[in-house]
């Protein structure tokens, strides 16, 4: 069975702190895709990153970085020097190559950045 | 134009009403999606259209009826809804069919069924 676990329901930090959002996934498939989406209070989901299972290279984009580790089935997301505008709900998601018609979301992590 | 628009933003309807949600994109995307999102939950996929044809129906009750009149427009017709259908309804599009593609989401329609 496929599953995505985001164990942190809510995180609150002060502006400029670093924060890591955890994502652990379960699948027996060897080919799959992992995503992170951000959902600000305005409602729309915003695509942040996609990784396929053969690309374990970590990614850095400005203040954001992603750490993909197949050995621990994790795809964690770090905000460096967080800003109030980062406040949102963040979803991690898994799609299997064998079933690109099914998307498995984690339950989401609500991140609040206090000024 | 990299935007997906949805109307209305808010909708309140009774259980006997018929209403429609509208979604539009002008990015030339060939796949469009409807999701339902209950409060504090992740989105749940409802329907997927690829090249204006219904490709996926995730066992959604028939009181929800999707329609794709053309490649830019996606409607969701609502009839005889139940209070538990109250949710945020999100529309999305992607360049090609397949959830492994980057999806662009609209801001959603917040539906309340009385």
């Amino acid at each position: 069975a496929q599953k995505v676990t985001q164990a942190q329901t809510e995180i609150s930090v002060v502006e400029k702190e670093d924060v890591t959002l955890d994502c652990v996934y379960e699948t027996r498939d060897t080919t799959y895709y992992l995503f992170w989406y951000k959902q600000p209070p305005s409602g729309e989901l915003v695509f942040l990153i996609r990784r396929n299972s053969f690309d374990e290279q970590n990614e850095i984009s400005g203040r954001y970085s992603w750490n993909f580790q197949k050995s621990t089935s994790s795809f964690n997301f770090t905000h460096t020097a967080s800003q109030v505008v980062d406040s949102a709900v963040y979803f991690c998601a898994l799609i299997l190559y064998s079933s690109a018609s099914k998307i498995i979301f984690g339950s989401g992590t609500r991140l609040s950045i206090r000024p | 134009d990299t935007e997906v628009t949805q109307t209305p933003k808010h909708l309140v309807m009774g259980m006997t009403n018929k209403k429609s949600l509208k979604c539009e994109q002008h990015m030339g995307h060939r796949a469009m999606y409807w999701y339902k999102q209950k409060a504090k939950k992740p989105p749940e996929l409802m329907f997927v259209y690829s090249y204006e044809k219904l490709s996926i129906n995730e066992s959604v009750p028939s009181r929800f009826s999707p329609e794709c009149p053309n490649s830019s427009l996606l409607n969701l017709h609502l009839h005889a809804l139940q209070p538990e259908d109250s949710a945020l309804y999100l529309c999305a599009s992607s360049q090609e069919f397949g959830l492994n593609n980057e999806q662009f989401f609209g801001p959603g329609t917040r539906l309340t069924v009385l």
Side-chain angles (χ1 to χ4, degrees), chain B residues 10-59:
Chain B
H10 300 274
L11 179 62
V12 179
M13 61 186 288
M15 289 191 283
T16 58
N17 292 157
K18 281 186 185 180
K19 296 285 184 185
S20 296
L21 310 185
K22 181 179 167 183
C23 172
E24 206 159 356
Q25 58 88 12
H26 295 288
M27 295 178 276
H29 287 176
R30 307 312 300 191
M32 295 185 77
Y33 310 78
W34 279 116
Y35 288 84
K36 172 183 176 180
Q37 187 178 24
K38 301 283 278 183
K40 296 185 187 295
K41 297 287 186 188
E44 298 170 32
L45 185 65
M46 298 175 74
F47 301 105
V48 183
Y49 273 82
S50 174
Y51 289 85
E52 302 159 46
K53 296 274 189 295
L54 183 63
S55 297
I56 296 173
N57 176 342
E58 289 287 326
S59 305

Side-chain angles (χ1 to χ4, degrees), chain B residues 8 11-14 16-22 63-65 75-81 111-112:
Chain B
L11 179 62
V12 179
M13 61 186 288
T16 58
N17 292 157
K18 281 186 185 180
K19 296 285 184 185
S20 296
L21 310 185
K22 181 179 167 183
R63 57 185 184 269
F64 294 92
S65 174
N75 298 321
L76 186 63
H77 303 298
L78 315 172
H79 173 54
L81 294 195
L111 174 68
T112 303

Side-chain angles (χ1 to χ4, degrees), chain A residues 52-72:
Chain A
N52 73 54
S53 51
F54 298 110
D55 182 3
E56 279 195 81
Q57 194 169 9
N58 290 330
E59 172 114 359
I60 297 175
S61 176
R63 296 184 295 102
Y64 301 154
S65 63
W66 290 268
N67 183 2
F68 177 27
Q69 292 201 338
K70 284 175 77 169
S71 60
T72 55

Side-chain angles (χ1 to χ4, degrees), chain A residues 10 33 35 37 39 41-47 50 91 95 97 100-103 105-108 110, chain B residues 35 37 40-45 56 58 88 90 97-108 110:
Chain A
E10 293 195 34
Y33 302 88
F35 286 76
Y37 280 93
Q39 187 172 34
S42 49
E44 76 282 9
L45 271 76
V46 178
F47 166 86
R50 178 181 72 177
F91 291 100
I95 293 124
Y97 178 77
S101 60
K102 203 158 188 67
I103 182 166
F105 282 100
S107 53
R110 180 174 298 277
Chain B
Y35 288 84
Q37 187 178 24
K40 296 185 187 295
K41 297 287 186 188
E44 298 170 32
L45 185 65
I56 296 173
E58 289 287 326
L88 180 68
L90 293 162
F97 171 70
L99 292 161
N100 55 326
N101 292 293
E102 176 185 352
Q103 293 180 63
F104 292 75
F105 283 81
R110 194 162 294 282

